[in-house]
Structure formats: C-alpha cells, structure tokens
Amino acid sequence: MGNGLKNVLTVLWIGGLWIVGLLVLPLLFLTLDASHGFAPVLAAKILHAMGWVGIVAGVYLLIYRIWFDGLRAFQTGAFWLLIGMLVCTLVNQFAIFPILAGVKSKLSESAVGVFGGGFANWHTISTAIYAVQALFGLVYVWKMDNK
C-alpha cells in the first residue's frame, strides 16, 4: 500500500501543479470575466486547495523516503527536491497567500513604491515560487523517483 499511495500522492501533487498552472488557471482567466472578481477568487481557492494537497503529499513522501531509505534518504536528490517543493508550498500557503489576500482587500492603497507591497509584486513572487516548485516536481518525476 505504501508504494501505491506514494505514486498516487506524487501524481496528485506534481501533476496537479502542472495541470493547474498550465491548463486550469489560464482557461479560467480566458473564460471568466476577471473584472468582476470571480476568476481571481476561484483561482485563489484552487491554489489554496493545491497547497493543502502539496502539504499532505510532501509530508507523506518525505516520511516514505526516510522510512524506506533510512538516513541515506538525506543523500538523495529526490529527498532534497521534495524538501524544496514542500518549502515552496509552505511559503506560498502560509506567507505569500495571506499577504496577497490582505493586499487585495486594500488594493487602492498598496500600489505605491517599487517594493511597496503591491498586489502585482506579491503575485509575481508567488508565481515565481510556484514555477520553481513545478520545475522541482518535473525533475523529481523525470529523473529522481526510481522507487
């Protein structure tokens, strides 16, 4: 069961990152009227849900690696890719997303300054973190996940 669950969680997390980032969110913004706020609200809910999928999957996959590889897990690239992905998930979920929600509610006040904490700045940071996480996931699936 452990190996099967590992595979399912890998697909849900990494596949979910790619499907949401490349297909769901772009189609959402192309299809729905973003000016009324429905597309951004729905996108935030989807990303928040994917964050929880990542937390659950990431913790399980790390435990799985340590359980089956012991201390050798710390010497594998796969383990450190998972750590990197989980850190990206945690930063977005618990640091960036709350800032985005706060800035969004005060949007007219926050558009000042180069690093004035505006929505666009935080959105760019979050997107970059998401992209790094998705690339780590691609490398994990492509090269490292051999168990």
Side-chain angles (χ1 to χ4, degrees), residues 33-84:
D33 184 11
S35 64
H36 293 304
F38 187 64
V41 169
L42 190 52
K45 289 185 181 296
I46 292 168
L47 289 168
H48 185 72
M50 276 306 304
W52 283 108
V53 168
I55 292 166
V56 170
V59 168
Y60 179 83
L61 294 171
L62 287 172
I63 291 169
Y64 178 91
R65 292 248 169 229
I66 293 169
W67 184 268
F68 285 99
D69 294 340
L71 293 178
R72 289 189 324 265
F74 293 91
Q75 298 172 339
T76 65
F79 181 84
W80 292 105
L81 284 168
L82 290 171
I83 291 283

Side-chain angles (χ1 to χ4, degrees), residues 96 100 103 110-127:
I96 306 297
L100 281 169
V103 169
S110 64
V112 182
V114 177
F115 293 105
F119 183 82
N121 291 336
W122 287 110
H123 185 268
T124 301
I125 292 167
S126 177
T127 301

Side-chain angles (χ1 to χ4, degrees), residues 72-115:
R72 289 189 324 265
F74 293 91
Q75 298 172 339
T76 65
F79 181 84
W80 292 105
L81 284 168
L82 290 171
I83 291 283
M85 289 179 66
L86 187 56
V87 166
C88 288
T89 299
L90 293 171
V91 168
N92 259 345
Q93 191 80 351
F94 297 114
I96 306 297
F97 290 172
I99 291 170
L100 281 169
V103 169
K104 185 82 169 175
S105 67
K106 302 173 189 168
L107 198 55
S108 62
E109 303 169 15
S110 64
V112 182
V114 177
F115 293 105

